[in-house]
Amino acid sequence: MFIRFTKEQQETIIADIQRFFYNNRDEDITEFEAERVLDFIKENIAPHIYNAAISDAKYVVETQYASIEEELAALERPIKIK
């Protein structure tokens, strides 16, 4: 999966990863090491999150479509057969 971030986004994410390691593991990791963690996440974890988001979006669209179908059916007029 190819995920692109702006330079600012990348810098923010890398700083967040470094802060996470420092706050939760008492480790100071370099920017390079944080970039490797980000690469791992993008390659191995992000596709799962992406697919879950797509599944959630699909559910919302299907639910809204069903509601629209019901509303349209309610607008139909009966046809009198002579």
Side-chain angles (χ1 to χ4, degrees):
M1 170 175 248
F2 187 69
I3 300 173
R4 296 170 69 181
F5 296 113
T6 65
K7 183 179 179 181
E8 293 79 19
Q9 289 172 322
Q10 177 108 358
E11 289 171 355
T12 299
I13 293 168
I14 288 170
D16 289 342
I17 291 169
Q18 288 176 301
R19 192 170 23 267
F20 171 83
F21 271 81
Y22 182 78
N23 292 338
N24 293 284
R25 300 177 51 97
D26 293 325
E27 293 180 51
D28 279 322
I29 65 170
T30 66
E31 191 172 311
F32 178 78
E33 291 168 323
E35 286 179 22
R36 299 299 63 83
V37 171
L38 177 57
D39 289 341
F40 172 81
I41 292 168
K42 286 169 43 176
E43 292 173 15
N44 297 288
I45 298 170
H48 296 283
I49 296 168
Y50 176 85
N51 289 343
I54 292 296
S55 179
D56 290 348
K58 181 181 173 187
Y59 172 77
V60 169
V61 169
E62 287 172 348
T63 302
Q64 289 179 344
Y65 180 74
S67 176
I68 291 170
E69 278 187 318
E70 290 172 9
E71 289 179 29
L72 289 173
L75 294 174
E76 289 181 350
R77 303 281 185 208
I79 299 174
K80 295 179 184 176
I81 299 178
K82 296 181 182 182

